[in-house]
Amino acid sequence: MANSKLAVSLALIVLIFAGIGLVSAGAITVTNSEVNTGTAPTQGAVTYAENSSACPPAMPNMPNMPNMPNMPNMPNMPAIGEISGVSNGTEDFEAIDVAPQELPGGTYNYRNYTVKNTSVSYNGSVTILTTGDVLIENGTINTTNSDITIISGGDITVKNGGSIYTADAPTGTSGSITLEAAGSVDTQSGIVFSGNGYASGGVLIKAFGSNTITLFATTLWTGNAELDSGDLELWSAGSIDANSSTSWTGNSINGTSGHVAWYAQGGDTITLFATTLWTGNAELDSGDLELWSAGSIDANSSTCWTGNSINGTSGHVAWYAQGGDTITLFATTLWTGNAELDSGDLELWSAGSIDANISTSWTGNSINGTSGHVAWYAQGGDTITLFATTLWTGNAELDSGDLELWSAGSIDANSSTVCWTGDSINGMSGHVAWYAQGGDTIALFLTTLWTGNAELDSGDLELWSAGSIDANSSTSWTGDSINGTSGHVAWYAQGGDTITLFATTLWTGSGELDSGDLELWSAGSIDANSSTVCWTGNSINGTSGHVAWYAQGGDTITLFATTLWTGSAELDSGDLELWSAGSIDVNSSTILTGDSYIDGTSGHVSVYALGGSLKTCCSTLMTGSAVADSGYLELLAAGPVTCEYSTLITGESVSGDSGDLTTTSVNAHTAIDNSSIWTGNAPSGNSGSISIHDFAPRPEGGVITVDALTSWTGDAAVSSGDITFLTGFNPCEAVEAVEAPVLTPLGALALFSLLSALAAVTIVRKRR
């Protein structure tokens, strides 16, 4: 009887301790599940460790985002200078409705100078100086093989078929033409040109009167040449307005072609409407084409280019709008010529915005050299806008040119905008880099960006925003490399906002050696939604690039219907890492690293939610198979870890060990529901272990709840991995200060029963 009562008493002691809170608080609940370790000579164990003394792992430190480069400074516009000197003449020259006149060369001083419905020819170099205006209307001024200089104290007007030209010079240099006006230069249906020659002369027009150079249905050119063709320059102290006009420099058979340069220095505008500008083709170098405005440049339905070079370099195209306004391109085409050696660069510089609509810009191909770069700079805090616009750099025997957009504000690319760098036959392809430095946004809608394929390395593709990056229905990639490495894709949103991907595809090209990395860096969140796909290319004889996403602003990485992977590789396949300073939510998505199919390891998958929860729903996370070791898979969160209707896998290893699989919550609870978790087989080594760890503050401690889980570790030639469910405390002091017990009602009842039983035992013993 006493023994029976003693047994009851011992049981009641347990109830007492439960009543005062001293029995294990942390809980592991596993229901409706199959948990097994793989077949092996040494088979792994399944362990349930509640309230263990283990400590939670230290949270890793997220890498720091790189700093955005600084925008280059715009060059300074050359000065127009001063007018060369005007006449003190008091008499007018008038040749109106008379027979053609022939006059000797020399210097002439007049008050006004008029040629109308006739021609005046000078048999030598001529300088015409006026105090007033010059008018050439349906008339002609020309010389035979000599220069023409007209300096007006008023305006110069050439209209209604009027022309000024110098004759051809088959064995010498054709004459140059210089027009200078203290007021305006106005040409309407006019023609001004220098003749062909062994070398051709230039055309120089200057308007000093803070007004305008106006070209309407006008043609300006310099002649073709055996050696060098002449330059064509317009200088205005005000604006330059060209409408339905054409300007060019002549071709060169055995030399260089001249440049085209227009300067509007009065704070206003260069306007091109239905206008064509170009520099001639050349045996050696073709000329540059430059527009300089102290205000805006507005090009509408116009075309500008530099000529081809047969055995040299083609000229550059450069436009400078320095007055805080805008460069506007509408239905406009800009390019630099093809070249035997290097093709020219194409640059737009604006102190304000750049707006390109239904336009095209490119640099020429290079047969035996490098192709030029395309670079646009909007420095005034506004925007670069691309709508239905195409930009590219030419293909090249050696290196193809870079393509860069720099904005002190935003960059907005919309509707069938396409930008790329050319292919390289025996060198490297250029990079694509966009910089939005003003705290706003890079927006891509129906936009395609890529870098060219290359014999050696293909170029990188980078987007840098001081605010957000928003990509919708867009595609970006780096080219394949035949005998080198493919470029990386890297996007940086530095302003505390978001990288958003909707129906967007990003990848890096395949490489003979290594394929490029794919990285997204956000000072806020990263949100990938609806058929977004991101991957790194395969490597034929090297390693494939990694995929790494970093959300540093305390917010979230969200994946919905998204696929991420790293390419397969001859050696090692790349890692795949997600880092969030807040939470990570993976829904209906797939995350995996590529296989290593010859002689290496497959990459790991690491998902770190450093400031919040980590949840997978209806998703698959896995590491690739490998000849050597397969990669590990790690989920780590500061908050709860939830896995619903998901699959977590590490790949098989042919001759090494398969990777471990770990999920850890360091400060909350873990819940796994209707999911599968396993590690790959290892027919020549050890299969990976599975560790489900949960830590939480006292007094409750970690809690793991598992329902409908299928989990196993792979079969192995040596040892199969363990499966461990472990709960613990955070923090995990080795010795805890124990508070005074609190007697609960259950404890009080148990204590009363225990005391009664002990009393009964004592009475029985005394009776004996």
PDB file of all heavy atoms in Angstrom, residues 51-67:
ATOM      1  N   ASN A  51      14.286  22.525 -26.257  1.00  0.00           N
ATOM      2  CA  ASN A  51      14.963  23.372 -25.265  1.00  0.00           C
ATOM      3  C   ASN A  51      16.420  22.989 -25.091  1.00  0.00           C
ATOM      4  O   ASN A  51      16.918  22.845 -23.975  1.00  0.00           O
ATOM      5  CB  ASN A  51      14.250  23.295 -23.913  1.00  0.00           C
ATOM      6  CG  ASN A  51      12.915  24.004 -23.953  1.00  0.00           C
ATOM      7  OD1 ASN A  51      12.676  24.836 -24.825  1.00  0.00           O
ATOM      8  ND2 ASN A  51      12.050  23.659 -23.019  1.00  0.00           N
ATOM      9  N   SER A  52      17.093  22.827 -26.210  1.00  0.00           N
ATOM     10  CA  SER A  52      18.509  22.463 -26.150  1.00  0.00           C
ATOM     11  C   SER A  52      19.316  23.648 -25.657  1.00  0.00           C
ATOM     12  O   SER A  52      18.861  24.793 -25.626  1.00  0.00           O
ATOM     13  CB  SER A  52      18.994  22.048 -27.540  1.00  0.00           C
ATOM     14  OG  SER A  52      19.191  23.190 -28.339  1.00  0.00           O
ATOM     15  N   SER A  53      20.541  23.349 -25.263  1.00  0.00           N
ATOM     16  CA  SER A  53      21.454  24.411 -24.819  1.00  0.00           C
ATOM     17  C   SER A  53      22.166  25.059 -26.002  1.00  0.00           C
ATOM     18  O   SER A  53      23.019  25.930 -25.814  1.00  0.00           O
ATOM     19  CB  SER A  53      22.488  23.828 -23.850  1.00  0.00           C
ATOM     20  OG  SER A  53      23.247  22.809 -24.494  1.00  0.00           O
ATOM     21  N   ALA A  54      21.835  24.640 -27.214  1.00  0.00           N
ATOM     22  CA  ALA A  54      22.479  25.217 -28.397  1.00  0.00           C
ATOM     23  C   ALA A  54      22.136  26.696 -28.515  1.00  0.00           C
ATOM     24  O   ALA A  54      21.070  27.151 -28.099  1.00  0.00           O
ATOM     25  CB  ALA A  54      22.029  24.479 -29.654  1.00  0.00           C
ATOM     26  N   CYS A  55      23.055  27.445 -29.094  1.00  0.00           N
ATOM     27  CA  CYS A  55      22.851  28.873 -29.301  1.00  0.00           C
ATOM     28  C   CYS A  55      22.458  29.136 -30.747  1.00  0.00           C
ATOM     29  O   CYS A  55      22.887  28.432 -31.659  1.00  0.00           O
ATOM     30  CB  CYS A  55      24.132  29.650 -28.990  1.00  0.00           C
ATOM     31  SG  CYS A  55      24.579  29.645 -27.239  1.00  0.00           S
ATOM     32  N   PRO A  56      21.632  30.148 -30.981  1.00  0.00           N
ATOM     33  CA  PRO A  56      21.274  30.488 -32.362  1.00  0.00           C
ATOM     34  C   PRO A  56      22.491  31.002 -33.116  1.00  0.00           C
ATOM     35  O   PRO A  56      23.416  31.571 -32.523  1.00  0.00           O
ATOM     36  CB  PRO A  56      20.217  31.587 -32.194  1.00  0.00           C
ATOM     37  CG  PRO A  56      20.509  32.195 -30.860  1.00  0.00           C
ATOM     38  CD  PRO A  56      21.007  31.074 -30.004  1.00  0.00           C
ATOM     39  N   PRO A  57      22.516  30.809 -34.418  1.00  0.00           N
ATOM     40  CA  PRO A  57      23.657  31.304 -35.187  1.00  0.00           C
ATOM     41  C   PRO A  57      23.659  32.824 -35.230  1.00  0.00           C
ATOM     42  O   PRO A  57      22.624  33.480 -35.105  1.00  0.00           O
ATOM     43  CB  PRO A  57      23.417  30.709 -36.577  1.00  0.00           C
ATOM     44  CG  PRO A  57      21.934  30.527 -36.649  1.00  0.00           C
ATOM     45  CD  PRO A  57      21.494  30.171 -35.261  1.00  0.00           C
ATOM     46  N   ALA A  58      24.830  33.396 -35.395  1.00  0.00           N
ATOM     47  CA  ALA A  58      24.940  34.843 -35.579  1.00  0.00           C
ATOM     48  C   ALA A  58      24.411  35.213 -36.962  1.00  0.00           C
ATOM     49  O   ALA A  58      24.658  34.509 -37.940  1.00  0.00           O
ATOM     50  CB  ALA A  58      26.395  35.285 -35.435  1.00  0.00           C
ATOM     51  N   MET A  59      23.654  36.306 -37.055  1.00  0.00           N
ATOM     52  CA  MET A  59      23.144  36.748 -38.344  1.00  0.00           C
ATOM     53  C   MET A  59      24.305  37.307 -39.170  1.00  0.00           C
ATOM     54  O   MET A  59      25.105  38.114 -38.672  1.00  0.00           O
ATOM     55  CB  MET A  59      22.074  37.824 -38.160  1.00  0.00           C
ATOM     56  CG  MET A  59      20.873  37.349 -37.369  1.00  0.00           C
ATOM     57  SD  MET A  59      19.981  35.990 -38.160  1.00  0.00           S
ATOM     58  CE  MET A  59      19.050  36.890 -39.386  1.00  0.00           C
ATOM     59  N   PRO A  60      24.422  36.898 -40.410  1.00  0.00           N
ATOM     60  CA  PRO A  60      25.532  37.392 -41.236  1.00  0.00           C
ATOM     61  C   PRO A  60      25.343  38.867 -41.567  1.00  0.00           C
ATOM     62  O   PRO A  60      24.235  39.411 -41.479  1.00  0.00           O
ATOM     63  CB  PRO A  60      25.441  36.529 -42.493  1.00  0.00           C
ATOM     64  CG  PRO A  60      24.015  36.090 -42.551  1.00  0.00           C
ATOM     65  CD  PRO A  60      23.548  35.970 -41.133  1.00  0.00           C
ATOM     66  N   ASN A  61      26.427  39.544 -41.928  1.00  0.00           N
ATOM     67  CA  ASN A  61      26.377  40.940 -42.336  1.00  0.00           C
ATOM     68  C   ASN A  61      26.186  41.033 -43.850  1.00  0.00           C
ATOM     69  O   ASN A  61      26.896  40.384 -44.618  1.00  0.00           O
ATOM     70  CB  ASN A  61      27.662  41.661 -41.936  1.00  0.00           C
ATOM     71  CG  ASN A  61      27.817  41.769 -40.431  1.00  0.00           C
ATOM     72  OD1 ASN A  61      26.850  42.046 -39.721  1.00  0.00           O
ATOM     73  ND2 ASN A  61      29.023  41.534 -39.936  1.00  0.00           N
ATOM     74  N   MET A  62      25.201  41.833 -44.261  1.00  0.00           N
ATOM     75  CA  MET A  62      24.972  42.022 -45.686  1.00  0.00           C
ATOM     76  C   MET A  62      26.109  42.860 -46.281  1.00  0.00           C
ATOM     77  O   MET A  62      26.565  43.828 -45.667  1.00  0.00           O
ATOM     78  CB  MET A  62      23.634  42.738 -45.911  1.00  0.00           C
ATOM     79  CG  MET A  62      23.164  42.690 -47.366  1.00  0.00           C
ATOM     80  SD  MET A  62      21.623  43.626 -47.678  1.00  0.00           S
ATOM     81  CE  MET A  62      20.519  42.968 -46.446  1.00  0.00           C
ATOM     82  N   PRO A  63      26.575  42.519 -47.473  1.00  0.00           N
ATOM     83  CA  PRO A  63      27.597  43.356 -48.117  1.00  0.00           C
ATOM     84  C   PRO A  63      27.080  44.773 -48.348  1.00  0.00           C
ATOM     85  O   PRO A  63      25.874  45.020 -48.402  1.00  0.00           O
ATOM     86  CB  PRO A  63      27.857  42.635 -49.445  1.00  0.00           C
ATOM     87  CG  PRO A  63      27.384  41.236 -49.231  1.00  0.00           C
ATOM     88  CD  PRO A  63      26.238  41.332 -48.262  1.00  0.00           C
ATOM     89  N   ASN A  64      28.014  45.726 -48.481  1.00  0.00           N
ATOM     90  CA  ASN A  64      27.660  47.114 -48.745  1.00  0.00           C
ATOM     91  C   ASN A  64      27.499  47.360 -50.242  1.00  0.00           C
ATOM     92  O   ASN A  64      28.233  46.812 -51.066  1.00  0.00           O
ATOM     93  CB  ASN A  64      28.735  48.055 -48.191  1.00  0.00           C
ATOM     94  CG  ASN A  64      28.809  48.019 -46.676  1.00  0.00           C
ATOM     95  OD1 ASN A  64      27.780  47.971 -45.994  1.00  0.00           O
ATOM     96  ND2 ASN A  64      30.016  48.041 -46.137  1.00  0.00           N
ATOM     97  N   MET A  65      26.519  48.204 -50.578  1.00  0.00           N
ATOM     98  CA  MET A  65      26.293  48.554 -51.977  1.00  0.00           C
ATOM     99  C   MET A  65      27.418  49.454 -52.479  1.00  0.00           C
ATOM    100  O   MET A  65      27.857  50.375 -51.775  1.00  0.00           O
ATOM    101  CB  MET A  65      24.950  49.285 -52.122  1.00  0.00           C
ATOM    102  CG  MET A  65      24.503  49.438 -53.569  1.00  0.00           C
ATOM    103  SD  MET A  65      22.972  50.426 -53.780  1.00  0.00           S
ATOM    104  CE  MET A  65      21.852  49.656 -52.631  1.00  0.00           C
ATOM    105  N   PRO A  66      27.901  49.226 -53.690  1.00  0.00           N
ATOM    106  CA  PRO A  66      28.923  50.127 -54.252  1.00  0.00           C
ATOM    107  C   PRO A  66      28.364  51.536 -54.443  1.00  0.00           C
ATOM    108  O   PRO A  66      27.158  51.757 -54.478  1.00  0.00           O
ATOM    109  CB  PRO A  66      29.261  49.483 -55.602  1.00  0.00           C
ATOM    110  CG  PRO A  66      28.755  48.085 -55.517  1.00  0.00           C
ATOM    111  CD  PRO A  66      27.584  48.117 -54.587  1.00  0.00           C
ATOM    112  N   ASN A  67      29.269  52.517 -54.586  1.00  0.00           N
ATOM    113  CA  ASN A  67      28.882  53.898 -54.838  1.00  0.00           C
ATOM    114  C   ASN A  67      28.766  54.165 -56.342  1.00  0.00           C
ATOM    115  O   ASN A  67      29.535  53.634 -57.146  1.00  0.00           O
ATOM    116  CB  ASN A  67      29.908  54.858 -54.233  1.00  0.00           C
ATOM    117  CG  ASN A  67      29.928  54.791 -52.719  1.00  0.00           C
ATOM    118  OD1 ASN A  67      28.890  54.701 -52.072  1.00  0.00           O
ATOM    119  ND2 ASN A  67      31.122  54.828 -52.135  1.00  0.00           N
TER     120      ASN A  67
END
